[in-house]
Amino acid sequence: MIDEKYQKLIHILEEMKNVIVAFSGGVDSTFLLKVAVDVLGSENVLAVTADSETYPSSELKAAKQLASWIGAQHQVIETSELSIPGYAENDRNRCYFCKASLFEELIPIMEAKGFKNVVYGLIADDMSEHRPGVRAAKEKGVRGPLQEAELYKEEIRELSKSMNLSTWNKPSFACLSSRIAYGERITAEKLTKVDKSEAYIKSFGIRQVRVRTHGDIARIEVEPQDMAKMLIYNSEIVNALKKFGYQYISLDLAGYKSGSMNQVLV
């Protein structure tokens, strides 16, 4: 089944002939970029990474290294989600404003370079989640070849491993705004606070972490196997996060869950 899906992906890309890839350096966009370069050739593929306040600071360097390893053309653009009308208010459609703005940046690049398609790392798993960005993609004519090929995250990880992509077991990540409770205004200061906090916690060897922000409360999510480590270093973590601006620091006993902020939308 996975081989059939992979062949379907190849066929989709072949029909496109050339693509601009919205490239974050995560598991999905890295796999998409690698297959696109393999199928279409580097001259017919351009990876574009949007560097902004919501993009974790550690990810840009990694994205550049990955694009270079793959042999892809790579362009970094500067964007600011906080300047998008409606974004900072942080309602349930926040991701729509973000993706619509991103695609509005990518389409002129596509036209200037003589390309015909913009693609992004939408996957089959995403169709069962709250994803306002999917609507933005449809409105802008942007496609998700991985989703069209019905590829799921675990299948993408398996294929990535077979291609020797270092991202095959990379923890999932999302923009920093996803850490801030819906309805709470997003600011550059809050995003920096989240970024510093997560980087600090990862320095203890914790693989996956989210510092969910509810006002001045940090609700930390880690994988169950890392909870004991959190308790070992609790004093250091509490002191650091208070310096970063949180007043109360908590560990969520339910553990890490992708998109946990969306539970209030159900």
Side-chain angles (χ1 to χ4, degrees), residues 55-71:
Y55 190 51
S57 57
S58 60
E59 294 298 328
L60 182 59
K61 181 180 179 181
K64 290 178 177 178
Q65 291 173 337
L66 284 165
S68 176
W69 185 86
I70 291 170

Side-chain angles (χ1 to χ4, degrees), residues 1 13 18 26 30 83 89 98 113 116 139 148 179 225 231 235 249:
M1 180 65 74
L13 290 169
N18 54 56
T30 299
S83 66
E89 286 76 3
C98 176
K113 299 284 186 180
K116 300 297 182 183
E139 291 175 357
E148 291 178 25
R179 296 5 174 218
Q225 64 267 26
L231 297 177
S235 295
I249 293 88

Side-chain angles (χ1 to χ4, degrees), residues 94-165:
R94 179 193 68 232
C95 290
Y96 170 82
F97 299 117
C98 176
K99 282 292 190 291
S101 178
L102 173 62
F103 299 146
E104 286 170 2
E105 295 278 352
L106 298 184
I107 289 171
I109 296 173
M110 175 191 75
E111 293 170 346
K113 299 284 186 180
F115 283 62
K116 300 297 182 183
N117 305 279
V118 174
V119 298
Y120 73 126
L122 183 71
I123 62 175
D125 309 64
D126 296 334
M127 305 311 290
S128 61
E129 299 179 3
H130 177 66
R131 296 277 177 170
V134 174
R135 176 163 62 93
K138 289 180 179 178
E139 291 175 357
K140 303 295 182 183
V142 173
R143 293 174 63 180
L146 303 179
Q147 184 272 325
E148 291 178 25
E150 302 178 82
L151 281 162
Y152 286 85
K153 176 73 79 175
E154 289 309 309
E155 294 171 326
I156 291 166
R157 289 190 185 279
E158 182 179 337
L159 289 166
S160 295
K161 186 176 183 180
S162 71
M163 295 176 176
N164 295 316
L165 289 172

Side-chain angles (χ1 to χ4, degrees), residues 55-265:
Y55 190 51
S57 57
S58 60
E59 294 298 328
L60 182 59
K61 181 180 179 181
K64 290 178 177 178
Q65 291 173 337
L66 284 165
S68 176
W69 185 86
I70 291 170
Q73 302 178 73
H74 188 208
Q75 180 176 341
V76 178
I77 60 174
E78 300 291 330
T79 60
S80 175
E81 282 86 353
L82 295 182
S83 66
I84 302 169
Y87 183 88
E89 286 76 3
N90 195 19
D91 68 13
R92 62 182 296 141
N93 291 311
R94 179 193 68 232
C95 290
Y96 170 82
F97 299 117
C98 176
K99 282 292 190 291
S101 178
L102 173 62
F103 299 146
E104 286 170 2
E105 295 278 352
L106 298 184
I107 289 171
I109 296 173
M110 175 191 75
E111 293 170 346
K113 299 284 186 180
F115 283 62
K116 300 297 182 183
N117 305 279
V118 174
V119 298
Y120 73 126
L122 183 71
I123 62 175
D125 309 64
D126 296 334
M127 305 311 290
S128 61
E129 299 179 3
H130 177 66
R131 296 277 177 170
V134 174
R135 176 163 62 93
K138 289 180 179 178
E139 291 175 357
K140 303 295 182 183
V142 173
R143 293 174 63 180
L146 303 179
Q147 184 272 325
E148 291 178 25
E150 302 178 82
L151 281 162
Y152 286 85
K153 176 73 79 175
E154 289 309 309
E155 294 171 326
I156 291 166
R157 289 190 185 279
E158 182 179 337
L159 289 166
S160 295
K161 186 176 183 180
S162 71
M163 295 176 176
N164 295 316
L165 289 172
S166 61
T167 49
W168 76 270
N169 65 344
K170 182 177 181 176
S172 298
F173 79 88
C175 81
L176 295 172
S177 295
S178 67
R179 296 5 174 218
I180 300 174
Y182 284 112
E184 182 177 336
R185 188 172 184 83
I186 300 170
T187 66
E189 292 75 19
K190 290 175 184 176
L191 296 172
T192 298
K193 182 167 66 173
V194 170
D195 196 15
K196 287 181 176 179
S197 298
E198 291 187 354
Y200 183 77
I201 294 170
K202 287 178 181 177
S203 73
F204 292 102
I206 292 171
R207 177 178 178 271
Q208 180 70 281
V209 61
R210 294 288 187 270
V211 177
R212 308 294 189 186
T213 299
H214 305 261
D216 56 6
I217 300 171
R219 176 173 59 86
I220 303 170
E221 296 178 6
V222 299
E223 294 173 323
Q225 64 267 26
D226 284 326
M227 287 187 182
K229 192 176 293 185
M230 288 290 297
L231 297 177
I232 292 172
Y233 297 107
N234 72 305
S235 295
E236 293 94 327
I237 291 170
V238 167
N239 291 335
L241 268 62
K242 285 192 172 183
K243 287 181 182 177
F244 296 149
Y246 291 104
Q247 292 300 313
Y248 305 98
I249 293 88
S250 64
L251 177 63
D252 192 329
L253 296 182
Y256 165 72
K257 179 175 175 57
S258 176
S260 68
M261 285 297 201
N262 292 336
Q263 292 178 17
V264 300
L265 303 178

Side-chain angles (χ1 to χ4, degrees), residues 8-36:
K8 184 176 180 180
L9 174 62
I10 290 174
H11 179 66
I12 291 168
L13 290 169
E14 285 176 337
E15 286 188 330
M16 288 185 174
K17 295 186 172 28
N18 54 56
V19 293
I20 301 284
V21 179
F23 178 59
S24 67
V27 177
D28 307 320
S29 65
T30 299
F31 173 70
L32 177 58
L33 180 62
K34 176 68 165 73
V35 178

